Amino acid sequence: MKHPVLDEASKKMDKAIAAFEKELTRVRTGRATPALLDGITVDYYGTQMPINQVASISVPESRQLVIQPWDVNVLPELEKAILKSELGLTPNNDGKVIRVSIPPLTEERRKELVKLVNKMAEESRVAIRNVRRDYMEKFKKMKKDKEISEDEMFKLQDELQKVTDSHIEKIDNIRGEKEKEIMEF
C-alpha cells in the first residue's frame, strides 16, 4: 500500500512538472502559437490586461498570428506591447487587425533557446529535489515522534527516491522533446 505522505509528495512534484510545461509554451520554436503572447500585457484604458483578454488570437498559418482586438482603439497599444516584449517580433497593423509573422529561427537563436530550456529544466529538477528533501525531513520527524518505525522510514525514503527519479525522468523527457522541436527547422 502506498503511504498517503508519498502521494502528497508526488502531487507536489506533479505541480513542478506542470509549471515547467506551462513555462515551455512561451519558448518560441519557429511555429506560431497564441501561447507566445502569454505574459504580454496591454495598457487598456489605464489598466494592464493580458492580450488574450482584449483581443482574439488566431493562427491562420504555421508562421503567422492574427490579433483582432474587440476594440480597435487598442490597436496602437497592442502594437507597442508586442514590440516591447522580448520575443523579437514585428507586428503589422492594418487598422483592423495586427498580423505577426514568426520568422524562422537562426542557428544561434536556436542554441540560445536550448540553453534557456535546459536552465528551466534544471530549475524544475531543483524544485522536485526540494520536495524530496522536505519529505525526507518529514519522515525523520515521523520516526522521531514514533509515528513510524525505523524500517518504515527507510522504506518510505526508498519509495520517495523512486518517485523523485520518475519525476526527474519526466522533466528530462519533456526537455528533450522541446529541444528536438526547437532544433528541427
Side-chain angles (χ1 to χ4, degrees):
M1 187 196 111
K2 212 171 180 194
H3 201 281
V5 178
L6 282 174
D7 287 339
E8 199 178 290
S10 183
K11 282 182 183 135
K12 284 188 178 181
M13 291 178 186
D14 288 342
K15 284 181 184 169
I17 290 174
F20 175 56
E21 288 176 317
K22 184 171 174 21
E23 217 176 324
L24 282 182
T25 61
R26 294 189 51 209
V27 175
R28 194 160 81 84
T29 58
R31 281 198 190 104
T33 167
L36 276 177
L37 303 176
D38 286 355
I40 299 176
T41 57
V42 182
D43 184 13
Y44 188 65
Y45 297 107
T47 307
Q48 287 298 315
M49 308 259 310
I51 287 182
N52 61 6
Q53 289 186 12
V54 296
S56 67
I57 304 166
S58 58
V59 185
E61 300 167 32
S62 68
R63 291 190 182 275
Q64 188 180 61
L65 289 173
V66 173
I67 304 156
Q68 185 159 19
W70 293 302
D71 175 358
V72 290
N73 297 325
V74 84
L75 273 170
E77 293 299 329
L78 280 168
E79 205 173 1
K80 256 190 261 174
I82 294 167
L83 282 168
K84 262 192 344 197
S85 75
E86 298 157 15
L87 294 172
L89 300 173
T90 309
N92 288 324
N93 179 349
D94 71 5
K96 289 189 176 87
V97 298
I98 291 179
R99 293 181 198 290
V100 180
S101 292
I102 311 293
L105 296 169
T106 63
E107 190 65 26
E108 189 180 320
R109 182 70 180 133
R110 286 177 209 276
K111 287 178 180 163
E112 285 172 23
L113 289 174
V114 166
K115 280 183 192 166
L116 175 68
V117 167
N118 285 327
K119 181 177 170 270
M120 291 159 69
E122 184 51 35
E123 288 167 2
S124 299
R125 287 191 288 267
V126 166
I128 287 171
R129 288 188 205 109
N130 287 341
V131 171
R132 178 191 60 194
R133 185 198 60 225
D134 294 346
Y135 279 86
M136 288 289 193
E137 292 301 315
K138 195 172 201 163
F139 295 149
K140 286 177 188 165
K141 187 182 179 319
M142 287 168 76
K143 182 201 160 280
K144 189 178 153 233
D145 296 344
K146 296 187 178 16
E147 292 174 35
I148 58 174
S149 68
E150 191 164 354
D151 284 350
E152 281 179 294
M153 180 188 77
F154 287 124
K155 214 179 283 175
L156 284 170
Q157 287 178 335
D158 267 359
E159 285 299 310
L160 181 62
Q161 187 58 51
K162 287 177 189 162
V163 169
T164 303
D165 293 343
S166 81
H167 281 79
I168 285 181
E169 190 179 325
K170 280 181 197 168
I171 291 281
D172 290 339
N173 291 340
I174 295 165
R175 181 201 50 78
E177 286 298 308
K178 188 67 172 186
E179 203 170 302
K180 237 188 281 175
E181 197 180 312
I182 290 169
M183 297 308 283
E184 82 185 356
F185 273 88

